[in-house]
């Protein structure tokens, strides 16, 4: 099991000496920043109000944004980023941090360009972030070495097909060789750099080519030039400068449109988790991508490709923490049917559930929480469904992969599951704990989990936080640490699966996971959280108060569609955050001549 990220309310500091347990969470080493002071509301259809900052008042501004679900009022309070208005003259698309290709994006891109190349020795699968939105741009020395090694592996593999990669009659004259090089760069340069090559690019790459050509001839020159491009910051990062000269770029002092090539990259990495293909680059070159119709045409084309489903499935895995399934360790003395291949069987079931339920025309939030799972389980998971009822094996909250990830090696541990619902489904993160929070009490024969954590309710130093978590987690106690349904817990005690939501828009008691699912699917807070999680994934960053003007119409379209995921996927392209960036300030570093946007 990976190092655990630990969560706890700061209120626990007050009663630390008597608090009976800390909160740990598997699956990551990074805690989420606090959410901005924004509350997204709406009750399943019609107009939606979103209030940020101080929430109106004398100094607030009110704007109307059109969405598929009709017009919506956005009130933005005074102070900080929240003071920004959504009108065209003041529109703020939020921050645009420098993005670095993830290991998945790097692998997808080189596969798209050169076919399947084994780069696992240079770039092993990276551990998933604990939260969507935390793709980091900084690199360590070993990252640089890995990128360089991966580039060498890809280049060495690519030139074994030199007759199709860079066909030329094996020139021995440098002038003829440069002509062949330029033909190769004309085809592959824009594909690799995701925009046209500048004169500086061509000069630099010719110098690298010359070294290889002088040493071992034309093939080695192409290999070195290709290796240089694949290890260049221009490829590894996704620089964005915006197009200040574009029509309408001066409409807001806080925003400039992206260039056509920058927009192509945002579109392809959001929908395919890979670089733009030739059709998308052609749409950028022609300027068609800068028109609403052209952007929509390309978005629909990308979504019609199987790669789009692969990418959206990765979003769902990240949202629900299922990437951590690869790192799960279970005690086979406690769970004897946890064998080699069980984790893969759970992943296969999850894929089938997402593919056949969520990607269909009727796939929506209700389906996510209610669709039966047994039909997606293969023979390796047959025992999970023997004697189970449809109510106890329906919806994402009963998915064995999810229940397995959000548990401990030897027990179900309701705290993990309560934290998952609180943070990932309600978008209500908990602050990190102080360093000296004691460990939770150990399991005791004959003592239920509810009894074991009873001090969380009675100790004022713990109850302020655990009342938000424990009553949710206890509802999951009908499922053991690998997702089997049961009626007695790890200690053989009859299960009390009653629960309650506190400090949500759907507060109140419920019974079991089925009762929890009914409350969550009807909760505007959960509906808004789904939209926010997709925004975070597509933008590779957390939402901020300035993003009110993007998330509000995104949520409106989601609501108007009946909370269909297909609508959520496409609506992102029409948001200011997706199509624009903040202007580069005067004191920012001037891009190098080779960094053509």
């Amino acid at each position: 099991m990976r190092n655990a990220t630990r969560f706890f309310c700061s209120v626990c500091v007050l009663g630390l000496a008597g608090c009976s347990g800390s909160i740990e969470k598997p699956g990551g080493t990074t805690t989420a920043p606090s959410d901005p002071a924004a509350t997204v509301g709406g009750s399943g259809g019609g107009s939606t109000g979103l209030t940020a900052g101080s929430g109106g008042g004398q100094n607030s501004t009110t704007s109307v944004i059109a969405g598929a679900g009709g017009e919506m009022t956005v009130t933005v309070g005074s102070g900080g980023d929240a003071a920004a208005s959504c009108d065209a003259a003041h529109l703020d698309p939020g921050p645009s941090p420098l993005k670095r290709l993830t290991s998945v994006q790097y692998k997808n891109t080189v596969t798209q360009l050169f076919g399947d190349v084994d780069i696992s020795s240079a770039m092993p699968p990276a551990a998933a972030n604990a939260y969507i939105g935390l793709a980091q741009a900084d690199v360590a020395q070993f990252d640089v070495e890995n990128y360089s090694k991966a580039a060498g592996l890809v280049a060495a593999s690519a030139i074994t097909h030199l007759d199709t990669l860079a066909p030329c009659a094996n020139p021995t004259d440098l002038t003829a060789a440069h002509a062949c090089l330029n033909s190769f760069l004309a085809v592959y340069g824009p594909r690799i750099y995701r925009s046209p090559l500048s004169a500086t690019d061509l000069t630099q790459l010719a110098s690298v080519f010359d070294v290889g050509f002088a040493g071992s001839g034309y093939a080695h020159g192409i290999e070195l030039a290709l290796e240089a491009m694949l290890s260049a910051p221009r490829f590894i990062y996704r620089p964005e400068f915006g197009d200040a000269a574009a029509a309408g770029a001066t409409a807001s002092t806080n925003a400039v449109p992206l260039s056509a090539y920058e927009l192509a990259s945002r579109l392809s990495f959001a929908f395919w988790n890979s670089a733009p293909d030739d059709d998308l680059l052609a749409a950028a070159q022609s300027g068609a991508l800068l028109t609403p119709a052209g952007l929509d045409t390309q978005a629909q084309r990308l979504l019609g490709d199987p790669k789009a489903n692969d990418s959206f499935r990765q979003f769902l895995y990240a949202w629900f923490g299922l990437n951590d399934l690869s790192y799960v360790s279970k005690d086979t003395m406690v769970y004897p049917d946890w064998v080699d291949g069980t984790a893969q069987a759970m992943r296969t079931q999850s894929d089938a559930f997402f593919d056949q339920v969520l990607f269909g025309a009727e796939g929506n939030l209700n389906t996510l929480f209610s669709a039966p799972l047994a039909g997606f389980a293969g023979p390796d998971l047959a025992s999970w469904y023997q004697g189970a009822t449809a109510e106890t094996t329906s919806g994402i909250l009963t998915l064995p992969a999810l229940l397995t990830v959000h548990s401990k090696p030897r027990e179900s541990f309701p705290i993990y599951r309560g934290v998952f619902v609180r943070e990932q489904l309600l978008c209500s993160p908990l602050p990190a704990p102080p360093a000296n929070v004691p460990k939770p009490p150990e399991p005791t024969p004959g003592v239920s989990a509810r009894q074991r954590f009873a001090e969380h309710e009675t100790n004022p130093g713990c109850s302020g936080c655990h009342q938000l978590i424990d009553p949710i987690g206890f509802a999951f106690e009908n499922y053991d640490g690998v997702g089997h349904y049961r009626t007695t817990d790890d200690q053989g005690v009859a299960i009390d699966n009653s629960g309650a939501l506190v400090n949500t828009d759907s507060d109140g008691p419920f019974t079991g996971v089925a009762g929890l699912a009914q409350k969550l699917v009807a909760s505007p807070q959960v509906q808004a959280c789904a939209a926010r999680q997709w925004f975070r994934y597509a933008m590779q960053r957390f939402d901020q108060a300035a993003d009110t003007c993007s998330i509000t119409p995104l949520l409106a379209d989601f609501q108007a569609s009946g909370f269909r995921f297909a609508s959520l996927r496409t609506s992102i392209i029409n948001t200011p955050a997706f199509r624009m960036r903040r202007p580069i300030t005067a004191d920012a570093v001037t891009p190098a001549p080779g960094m053509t946007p």
Side-chain angles (χ1 to χ4, degrees):
M1 182 76 81
R2 291 190 295 164
N3 293 334
T5 299
R6 306 174 68 199
F7 296 82
F8 205 72
C9 279
S10 56
V11 70
C12 285
V13 178
L14 300 176
L16 191 57
C19 188
S20 65
S22 65
I23 303 169
E24 302 174 355
K25 184 172 185 293
T29 57
T30 312
T31 57
S34 298
D35 276 5
T39 301
V40 184
S43 55
S47 298
T48 301
L50 187 151
T51 304
S54 62
Q58 184 175 358
N59 297 321
S60 67
T61 61
T62 300
S63 300
V64 176
I65 297 180
E71 292 186 338
M72 297 167 297
T73 299
V74 179
T75 302
V76 186
S78 59
D81 285 342
S85 171
C86 293
D87 65 83
H90 303 92
L91 193 63
D92 186 347
S96 300
L98 181 64
K99 299 178 180 67
R100 175 167 60 92
L101 299 190
T102 65
S103 59
V104 171
Q105 291 170 345
Y106 190 104
K107 172 66 173 175
N108 287 349
T109 298
V110 298
T111 299
Q112 179 177 306
L113 293 172
F114 306 109
D116 192 24
V117 181
D118 183 8
I119 59 172
S120 57
S121 63
M123 194 171 291
N129 288 309
Y131 289 87
I132 296 174
L134 291 184
Q136 302 296 321
D138 55 316
V139 295
Q141 180 60 37
F142 72 87
D143 290 316
V144 176
E145 294 170 356
N146 285 345
Y147 279 124
S148 178
K149 184 178 179 181
L153 291 172
V154 175
S157 174
I159 64 162
T160 61
H161 307 286
L162 193 64
D163 56 333
T164 55
L165 178 75
C168 226
N170 196 25
T172 57
D173 174 72
L174 186 58
T175 300
H178 276 185
C180 295
L181 170 67
N182 289 336
S183 297
F184 164 71
L185 294 177
V187 175
Y188 280 93
R191 294 174 178 174
I192 295 172
Y193 282 168
R194 303 181 288 276
S195 64
L197 273 65
S198 68
T200 301
D201 291 327
L202 295 174
T203 299
Q204 292 173 343
L205 291 170
S207 297
V208 174
F209 171 85
D210 289 351
V211 173
F213 183 81
S216 302
Y218 174 68
H220 191 48
I222 293 293
E223 180 181 6
L224 290 190
L226 181 55
E227 185 176 347
M229 286 191 285
L230 294 176
S231 57
R234 176 85 172 278
F235 173 71
I236 294 171
Y237 290 89
R238 292 166 50 192
E240 295 174 344
F241 305 106
D243 187 358
T250 59
S252 170
T253 58
N254 300 314
V256 293
L258 295 178
S259 73
Y261 288 99
E262 292 166 351
L263 196 55
S265 284
R266 281 205 179 180
L267 193 61
S268 64
F269 282 108
F271 286 6
W272 279 2
N273 231 2
S274 187
D277 65 355
D278 290 346
D279 287 346
L280 192 51
L281 290 173
Q285 183 180 26
S286 70
L289 202 60
L290 296 177
T291 67
L295 181 60
D296 183 68
T297 295
Q298 287 298 318
Q300 295 301 328
R301 182 181 68 83
L302 266 60
L303 287 172
D305 189 284
K307 290 193 288 290
N309 283 353
D310 291 340
S311 180
F312 196 74
R313 192 185 304 114
Q314 288 171 25
F315 157 65
L316 296 170
Y317 267 76
W319 182 13
F320 302 129
L322 302 187
N323 287 315
D324 294 338
L325 193 61
S326 302
Y327 307 97
V328 162
S329 174
K330 296 293 178 181
D331 188 331
T332 56
M333 296 296 292
V334 178
Y335 305 115
D337 50 2
W338 182 265
V339 298
D340 290 344
T342 301
Q344 182 55 51
M346 289 182 176
R347 181 176 292 274
T348 300
Q349 180 193 31
S350 301
D351 287 347
F353 174 62
F354 293 146
D355 289 355
Q356 296 185 40
V357 175
L358 298 185
F359 296 149
E362 301 304 318
N364 58 24
L365 201 61
N366 182 67
T367 306
L368 177 68
F369 283 99
S370 63
L373 296 174
F376 302 106
D380 291 341
L381 297 181
S383 63
W384 269 252
Y385 295 94
Q386 290 176 358
T389 66
E391 183 183 53
T392 61
T393 57
S394 293
I396 185 69
L397 298 183
T398 70
L399 186 69
L402 183 142
L403 295 164
T404 297
V405 165
H406 300 291
S407 61
K408 283 192 170 185
R410 295 178 54 86
E411 59 172 312
S412 56
F413 205 66
I415 310 303
Y416 284 173
R417 293 167 176 180
V419 170
F420 161 73
V421 171
R422 197 90 211 172
E423 295 186 324
Q424 300 303 95
L425 300 182
L426 290 163
C427 285
S428 181
L430 302 166
N436 56 346
V437 173
K439 291 182 178 181
E442 292 296 322
T444 302
V447 177
S448 70
R450 192 180 290 268
Q451 294 170 324
R452 175 183 166 196
F453 294 109
E455 191 174 0
H456 287 170
E457 297 180 15
T458 59
N459 189 322
C462 301
S463 62
C465 198
H466 279 278
Q467 68 173 339
L468 307 176
I469 302 165
D470 296 16
I472 298 174
F474 292 144
F476 285 89
E477 276 297 274
N478 280 122
Y479 300 89
D480 69 11
V482 294
H484 289 110
Y485 184 79
R486 62 188 181 176
T487 55
T488 57
D489 69 8
D490 296 321
Q491 304 306 319
V493 179
I495 289 170
D496 174 4
N497 66 356
S498 61
L501 289 176
V502 179
N503 281 7
T504 72
D505 61 0
S506 302
D507 286 355
F510 58 85
T511 301
V513 166
L516 174 61
Q518 290 175 1
K519 275 188 167 291
L520 293 178
V521 76
S523 164
Q525 187 174 346
V526 172
Q527 296 158 6
C529 183
R532 292 174 69 185
Q533 296 285 25
W534 171 240
F535 177 91
R536 293 168 177 177
Y537 180 85
M539 299 303 300
Q540 288 188 238
R541 65 172 176 82
F542 270 91
D543 49 298
Q544 301 185 7
D547 294 312
T548 295
C549 303
S550 291
I551 294 179
T552 300
L554 184 66
L555 175 58
D557 286 347
F558 190 39
Q559 289 176 323
S561 72
F563 302 103
R564 291 175 59 247
F565 288 99
S567 169
L568 190 65
R569 296 164 75 184
T570 56
S571 295
I572 189 73
I573 67 172
N574 297 314
T575 63
F578 190 88
R579 293 182 288 105
M580 301 178 183
R581 64 153 294 130
R582 287 174 177 168
I584 303 294
T585 57
D587 59 349
V589 177
T590 302
M595 298 288 279
T596 305

